Structure formats: C-alpha cells, structure tokens
Amino acid sequence: MSTTEYKPGLSIEDLPADLQKKRPLKLASNENSLGPSPLALQAIRDNLDSLHIYPSKQLEQQLRQAIAATISDQLGAEHIVIGSGGIEILEFVARSHLTTPEAESVLPRQTFPFLARYHGRSGQKINFYDLDEDDFSYYPERIAAAITPKTRLVYVCNPNNPTGTYVPADTLQQIIEVVPDDVLLIHDEAYYDFVDAPDYPDVLPHVLAGKDIFIMRTFAKIYGLAGLRLGFGIASPQIIEQVAGVKRNFHVNKLALMAGLASLNDDEHRQRTLANNVAGKQWLTEQLPRLGCRVWPSQANFVLFSHQTVPAKTLIDGLMAQAIIVRPAFGLDNHIRLTIGTPEENARLIESLTAVLQHN
C-alpha cells in the first residue's frame, strides 16, 4: 500500500509511480470534471503564435466589459477588476485595505482560509468566530461581536467552502446591517454559478447603490479554467479603483484573457457543467448515507461528508492508496470535502470508498 499522504495542493503529477499506474483520480480541488470550454481551447490555439507579445490593456478592458455585460446591463468595466485567479483578487483586496499594522479582519474558522493565511504572513490580527456546529449557519450576532474599531474587512463565503452551505438573503441582509460603513464586506461567490436555492441573496443592488461590498467570482469552477488562473471582482468604481491600484502590469496572461472571453460565450458548456453537477450531487447524496456517512446539503460543485465511526484521515488514506485524491475539510476536525465528478468518476469513488470501509 502506498504511504503517500494528502497535502494541500497535491496534484496527480505529485503521486508516486505505484499510484500513477492506478488511473489517478483527483476529487480534491473542486475543478470542473468536464474540463474547459471548447471555445476557450480554440481561442488558446488561435493565439499561440502571438505569445511573444505582451497582452494589451485593451484586451483586459474588453474582458472586463464582457464580464459586466454578462452579469447586468447596469454594470460597466469600471465595476470589474481582473486577477490571476480568485486568490489574487482576494489578495488585491487585502493589500489595498489592510494598510496599517493594526488593521484587522473578521471571518469564520470553518471557511476558505486565504485571509487567515494572509494575516499569518502579515502579522496583523484576525478575529475568528464559529459557524453553527451542526448546519454551519452564519450568525450575524457572532460577526457583530467579532468586529472592533480596527476591523477593515469582514469575509463571508457564500456558498461556503468547505461546507457547501449558503447564507440566505435575509441573513445576509442582517450581516450587512451589522457591518460598519467604513468596513468592506467581502462576499466570496466562487461557487455562485452552481447555486439553485431560491433565497440566495442578490448582492448586486448593494454594489450599484455604492455600498462597501466586494463580490469575488472566478473562471476556475464553472468555466473550467483553474489551470489558467483567472478571477474577477465586482464592486463600486471607487472600490475597484482602490483595489486595482495594488496590481502589477501584465498580471494576467494573454491566453487566460482570450480563454475568458471565449468561455463567456459558451453557454452549451456551462449548461452541461450545471447538469452534470446537479445529477452527480443528487447521486452522491443518495449513495454516501448508505455507507454510513452524513452528507450536508450543498449549493456548490462539491459535497461535505463525514462517516459515523471511521475517521476522515483513515478514509482519505484508504482512497489515496487506490489513487483517488480527496481532501480534509479545512477548519473542521473529521470531515471530507469531495468534488463532484463525472458519473464514471463518482461511481469509482463510491466503489473505492466501499472497499475502504470494508477493511476498517
């Protein structure tokens, strides 16, 4: 049996030779199991011979305008900032708003840890609070209690990563009301495209009204461009100008820009991705409980689960031995975050998990 252990960022290429022979399957990073948009691939091929030329500012402006037009006719390029992935967008926000050693941020322990890692590097204080221990709900009063006069950023991930749960519109409105006017609320919508809950909040009206709210989205998930690194933020022109002020020149490569433009026009690929996600989520939600697992309702392209008796590490190690990469859920003690794959990938996961459980 292989002794390879899961580490954050582990890829198929990192696996040793014995696991490479077992048809490695990665279900750890919420990548699009259908791959990138065919239109994006064609755009990349069409632009390979111009890689010796820097990407133009006009090309980035074109993508910003196209993103805005896709979202709302009330948005323009001035409402959009582009970065090399959603993480760089969040870094732009942090660098532009956490400008003093005393600046603080507020976020839950059970969420995407970028801001926590940023504060770990900068040495600035971060104020954590806990989500509901059972259903991972956000409580506005806990956020309010964590805010201090030094708070500059409040982070809400919706749908939340790694739980897949979401903040409904009425709760988010309460959160907006407890966040002071001089504090920026980050609404991380990396998994926005997969949401089908009718009471999911529409934050755009707040942005158009000039509120201090910053929306983060990405091309990595729905458009399958994780390897190209392309994300964007939506906010008032004043906030966008401040956030964009920290970025370097040529920070997004030409192929990513071209692929992003093409992906926005590939509705067929988008619909196939959504249909695969809906079917796979329903099937996994039915199969995992039959193996003694609890599965939390998800509004994303992954599901969170835990087994009643077998530790998450045992399951992760057992699956790794069969060349299937899944990851522990950050911020949680005994949970696994599982990317929804194709029907064949999901079936292999369940078959392998069944075998692991039979030996434990």
Side-chain angles (χ1 to χ4, degrees), residues 237-258:
Q238 294 77 17
I239 294 174
I240 291 297
E241 183 178 4
Q242 181 179 358
V243 170
V246 303
K247 66 184 180 68
R248 65 189 186 280
N249 291 331
F250 309 119
H251 63 113
V252 178
N253 73 77
K254 179 182 293 186
L255 295 184
L257 295 172
M258 297 303 301

Side-chain angles (χ1 to χ4, degrees), residues 158 166-172 195-202 299:
N158 194 19
Y166 75 104
V167 181
D170 57 349
T171 302
L172 187 68
V195 173
D196 56 19
D199 58 344
Y200 182 82
D202 179 7
Q299 288 290 311

